[in-house]
Amino acid sequence: MKPSNGAVRVGVFGLLGSGNLGNDGSLEAVLGHLAAAHPEAVVDALCGGPEVVTARYAIPATRLHWYRGEYRTASRAGAIVGKGLGKFVDVFRTAAWVRRHDVVIVPGMGVLEATLPLRPWGFPYALFLLCASGRLFGTKVALVSVGAAAIGSRPTRALVRLSARLAAYRSYRDGPSRDAMRAMGVDTARDEVYPDLAFALPTPRASAVGDRPGPVCVGVMAFHGGDDDRARAEEIHRRYLEGTTRFVRALVEDGRRVRLLTGDEVDASVVAAILDAVDSPLVTAAETTSLADLMAETAAADAVVATRYHNLVCALKVGTPTLALSYAAKSDALMAQMGLDAYCHPAREVDADRLLAQFRALEQRSTELRHTLAERNLAVAGRLEHQFTALAAALFPTTDPTPAHALRKAP
């Protein structure tokens, strides 16, 4: 039931608390905004890792899927039956959860893309149930600064297109995302483009610069290509790992300290493989559990080379010269937005020699690029204020929200 005191009931939805730091950082940004601008709101979550979300953010949370093995491959008859039954049960579970809310926010994330392997009956189906339930019960569903991309699979594309059409509010984290949804047949005339929500998180103080060169942060990923690359997944991963390992070894041969970063729990195997292959005290692995941790690591670095999107966001936000091992248009768009589009390298074809040359060129322009990033971050901050103001107008029209700049004061 909705609160009897008239407070607005807000739900947050997604693969949150599931080990992906970028997803959780987007949630943290939205919760910070709600606490500052709508302190009366009652917030809970329907998410992938409810225990983690409740423990970390102190909000009630419900498991996204009835069947706990949803994202494991079902090969046995019992698992197949369980998954099928779960799809049926989730129709009613999702509808009941949505009905209790005035507003549901999907905070950032690449919920309208399949740049990584994705099955239509997984998250795309869950998102469709959410948006359809919102339309049925009059609950406003907002897709806020989300990522989108062209999708080859017809069933996945159909579910994503329907979900976007049924949402009450849509904004995108880059222009290519909006273009992709327009190409899928979604009317995007009123949809805006804003920076990724993680840019709204507090920025750590810059570390003091010492006499000796600082570390180089290398953000790695358990990268196997996208949804259309399943037949070549292992080959893509092997080439990515070999190229990245050669690059790290070259940095070590130059006497550079290297900090290996991840953005998801699944990346740990790549870190272990590189540590084993290079076997040098100059290479260490950072233990990060949040985007704040990632920002602290990248702020202390002389330069960053990273694959995961939110590794890039963190490095760019703190103003550290960054080179992207790009696996999707979203990374290229982000680097262009921040003035570093010349420093992208394809993750599918990592050439260690060419990557090293790009890295050295990046370091030669370090001072200039830090000034560029400072200017771009000021522009990003202004756009984020506009995002939260527009969101309040669309979702909370009867309230008098605190100005969006109050977000900076959120804990």
Side-chain angles (χ1 to χ4, degrees):
M1 296 180 62
K2 295 182 181 180
S4 58
N5 61 1
V8 63
R9 182 73 181 258
V10 180
V12 288
F13 176 95
L15 292 177
L16 310 166
S18 300
N20 184 283
L21 301 187
N23 291 0
D24 290 355
S26 298
L27 169 63
E28 186 177 342
V30 165
L31 292 179
H33 168 69
L34 292 172
H38 305 281
E40 79 290 348
V42 177
V43 185
D44 72 316
L46 184 63
C47 59
E51 299 85 1
V52 173
V53 167
T54 296
R56 184 173 295 170
Y57 304 109
I59 61 173
T62 303
R63 187 171 298 279
L64 181 60
H65 301 287
W66 175 81
Y67 181 64
R68 290 175 176 265
E70 176 60 39
Y71 293 104
R72 295 195 296 267
T73 301
S75 56
R76 296 184 178 181
I80 293 172
V81 171
K83 270 198 174 186
L85 179 60
K87 300 304 170 191
F88 178 73
V89 173
D90 284 343
V91 172
F92 301 98
R93 290 178 71 254
T94 303
W97 183 82
V98 169
R99 191 175 185 178
R100 297 197 299 267
H101 297 82
D102 300 293
V103 171
V104 175
I105 296 174
V106 181
M109 305 177 287
V111 297
L112 302 178
E113 64 181 52
T115 51
L116 297 177
L118 183 71
R119 298 295 189 188
W121 53 83
F123 187 78
Y125 175 74
L127 183 66
F128 167 71
L129 291 182
L130 170 76
C131 296
S133 298
R135 181 63 65 91
L136 178 64
F137 296 117
T139 299
K140 296 178 180 179
V141 174
L143 310 180
V144 182
S145 289
V146 298
I151 297 173
S153 165
R154 288 186 178 181
T156 303
R157 186 169 64 246
L159 286 169
V160 164
R161 179 171 57 242
L162 283 170
S163 298
R165 286 175 173 172
L166 290 168
Y169 176 90
R170 295 182 299 267
S171 65
Y172 307 98
R173 63 189 178 191
D174 53 52
S177 292
R178 182 170 61 181
D179 294 342
M181 295 314 298
R182 184 185 298 120
M184 285 188 217
V186 176
D187 181 1
T188 62
R190 297 183 179 180
D191 299 352
E192 294 286 343
V193 173
Y194 296 104
D196 187 85
L197 288 171
F199 279 105
L201 294 172
T203 305
R205 293 183 180 180
S207 302
V209 178
D211 294 332
R212 66 171 182 163
V216 178
C217 283
V218 178
V220 301
M221 178 178 178
F223 179 60
H224 294 78
D227 201 45
D228 297 330
D229 297 317
R230 292 178 182 272
R232 301 173 50 237
E234 290 308 313
E235 176 194 351
I236 289 172
H237 179 66
R238 179 184 57 77
R239 294 180 66 176
Y240 169 80
L241 181 58
E242 288 178 354
T244 305
T245 301
R246 282 189 60 204
F247 173 69
V248 170
R249 187 178 287 114
L251 291 176
V252 169
E253 289 171 353
D254 284 346
R256 301 298 296 270
R257 290 176 292 139
V258 177
R259 289 284 278 172
L260 299 178
L261 306 180
T262 62
D264 194 295
E265 292 174 353
V266 300
D267 302 332
S269 62
V270 179
V271 170
I274 293 174
L275 289 173
D276 183 62
V278 178
D279 191 22
S280 167
L282 292 176
V283 185
T284 55
E287 295 184 4
T288 54
T289 60
S290 67
L291 292 193
D293 292 343
L294 280 174
M295 281 189 272
E297 289 284 349
T298 55
D302 280 357
V304 175
V305 178
T307 310
R308 281 200 179 271
Y309 181 81
H310 281 99
N311 277 199
L312 297 173
V313 169
C314 289
L316 296 168
K317 178 174 169 56
V318 301
T320 301
T322 302
L323 197 161
L325 284 174
S326 176
Y327 66 89
K330 61 185 178 183
S331 299
D332 297 335
L334 173 65
M335 295 294 283
Q337 175 190 358
M338 301 304 288
L340 273 71
D341 45 314
Y343 300 101
C344 294
H345 189 97
R348 282 176 173 78
E349 299 176 3
V350 178
D351 182 323
D353 294 333
R354 187 162 67 88
L355 181 59
L356 188 62
Q358 284 182 286
F359 173 77
R360 287 170 175 162
L362 177 84
E363 288 212 302
Q364 287 175 358
R365 295 182 59 202
S366 178
T367 301
E368 175 191 348
L369 294 177
R370 286 180 182 273
H371 286 303
T372 297
L373 288 173
E375 293 173 355
R376 296 299 173 101
N377 273 304
L378 286 175
V380 163
R383 289 295 293 160
L384 282 169
E385 287 192 12
H386 192 277
Q387 163 70 101
F388 287 112
T389 300
L391 187 64
L395 302 185
F396 308 100
T398 60
T399 64
D400 182 20
T402 303
H405 60 74
L407 172 64
R408 297 173 185 161
K409 300 177 183 179

